[in-house]
Every structure is written in C-alpha cells, then in structure tokens.
Amino acid sequence: MAVASAVENGHSEHLVKEGSFSGLTKVVAMDCEMVGVGDSGKDSELARVSIVNLTGHCVYDKFVKPIEEVTDYRTHVSGIRPADLEAGEEFSLVQKEVYDILKGRILVGHAVHHDLKVLFLDHPRSKIRDTAYYQPFKKMCNGKTPSLKKLAECLLGVKVQQGEHSSVQDAQAAMRLYTMYRSDWEAAVHKLAQHRRNQLKKPK
C-alpha cells in the first residue's frame, strides 16, 4: 500500500527525522480516518489507521473494510474513497494488529480517544500523551482545545489538513509536537504521578 506521507506531498521535511531508526519505538503516534455510517452518515466507523514511530517514520498504515454500509465517505476531509475500503483489511485483523503495537507503549495523538473509540480499544491513561489536552498548548489558545492544524502551523511551521487529511501526516505532526516538548511533558507526568502516590499514602 502506498503511504500518503507528508514527505511525499512536500510538506513535512520537519516531521520525519532523516536517517533515523524506522522501526517500532517505545513511543508511537496514531491517527485514524473515519467514514460515516447510519442515517445521514452521522455515526463514525474506522476507515484507515496510521501509526508512526518516535522519529516520524510510518510503521503501520492500513485501510479497513467497513462493517456497516457507508453512507458518507467524507472524502473532502477523510480522503477515503470506495476503492480504498474495498481493498482494505478486515476490522478484526486491524484491531488485533494495532492492539499488539500499542501494548506497553506510550501513545501520542490528537484527541486520540476518538481513534481508540472507533477501534474499540482502551489504553492506560498514564501512557497517553494527547496534544489536544496538553496544558501548555491549551494556554496558547486561551484555555481552549487547540486544533492540530493550528498547533502544527504555529509551532512547527508545517501546514497540515489542507483539504483532504492524511492520517500519516497528522500522526507525524502530533509526534513532532510531543518530541519538541518531551522533557517538560514527561517531567509533568512524573510529578503528577508522584503527587497521586503521595495522596494515597496519606492517612484517612
């Protein structure tokens, strides 16, 4: 399957570290594209899932055969077309493969709970790094939830989500945002975990 990466589209020399390790790392970023099912296509179903490693290399990218009838391909946003899904993998296989990749790893994403929801997967909260809810990013937007598009343009100088989205490119952008702030982010996670442990130790 051809990977519609940002590098190929000429947008993301900043999103993949050239010459770096291209296999699985302890930290991965994931993004999914969804299509609409049900009345008016309001409900979402998984259509494509992409995972990149710590340096932005794509390590997994598959289209998924729909379980329900697709009533809205949302092509102008998702980039998904009927032929993509016809050639896709079975949902159960993709779900199992993604589960195996994510298990034990830190998961980066933007509003990644939506991606986990369509995959029918859970992931430990302590191992999620979500760029939509990272407080320093929210402060930049006056406390509002920032869009990945805005964060990528403002902090990375990279334009993403120009027309049809690429789940590979969005995962790469989320990962690059994480790695830029990784030291401070992980220090904050460690501090919060330590605070919670201390709270549990206090006598009631």
Side-chain angles (χ1 to χ4, degrees), residues 7-201:
V7 176
E8 292 169 350
N9 292 332
H11 294 303
S12 89
E13 54 274 17
H14 301 299
L15 298 184
V16 181
K17 188 176 181 181
E18 288 196 25
S20 59
F21 178 65
S22 60
L24 275 172
T25 47
K26 292 181 180 179
V27 182
V28 295
M30 180 175 73
D31 188 75
C32 296
E33 298 298 344
M34 304 161 200
V35 290
V37 297
D39 292 339
S40 304
K42 291 182 179 179
D43 295 326
S44 295
E45 185 170 308
L46 180 66
R48 181 185 182 187
V49 54
S50 306
I51 299 173
V52 304
N53 73 2
L54 187 65
T55 54
H57 291 280
C58 184
V59 294
Y60 188 89
D61 183 32
K62 287 189 175 182
F63 292 105
V64 185
K65 289 183 185 296
I67 297 173
E68 298 182 48
E69 181 184 357
V70 178
T71 50
D72 185 356
Y73 283 89
R74 305 174 183 173
T75 304
H76 66 291
V77 173
S78 70
I80 302 296
R81 291 166 172 79
D84 297 326
L85 304 192
E86 289 169 10
E89 298 276 10
E90 296 295 334
F91 175 84
S92 58
L93 174 64
V94 172
Q95 182 191 50
K96 177 64 166 59
E97 290 176 340
V98 172
Y99 171 81
D100 289 341
I101 291 172
L102 299 187
K103 189 175 181 180
R105 291 186 164 88
I106 290 176
L107 172 61
V108 177
H110 191 83
V112 75
H113 60 282
H114 293 304
D115 303 308
L116 291 168
K117 182 178 180 180
V118 294
L119 279 157
F120 293 96
L121 292 176
D122 292 318
H123 199 70
R125 186 178 176 185
S126 63
K127 289 187 173 293
I128 290 177
R129 306 291 183 265
D130 200 318
T131 55
Y133 301 107
Y134 183 48
Q135 287 304 313
F137 293 162
K138 292 187 75 171
K139 286 181 181 178
M140 294 175 192
C141 297
N142 298 315
K144 297 179 181 178
T145 301
S147 68
L148 181 62
K149 182 177 182 178
K150 183 173 183 178
L151 288 174
E153 187 167 1
C154 292
L155 298 178
L156 306 179
V158 174
K159 292 183 182 294
V160 301
Q161 300 178 350
Q162 302 291 300
E164 295 179 13
H165 294 193
S166 162
S167 47
V168 174
Q169 186 183 48
D170 287 355
Q172 289 171 331
M175 180 61 86
R176 186 68 190 100
L177 288 165
Y178 167 74
T179 57
M180 281 183 68
Y181 290 82
R182 187 181 184 185
S183 295
D184 289 344
W185 199 326
E186 292 303 326
V189 169
H190 178 76
K191 185 177 180 180
L192 179 59
Q194 186 62 52
H195 174 73
R196 286 173 176 164
R197 285 193 292 269
N198 291 340
Q199 290 295 108
L200 290 172
K201 289 178 183 178

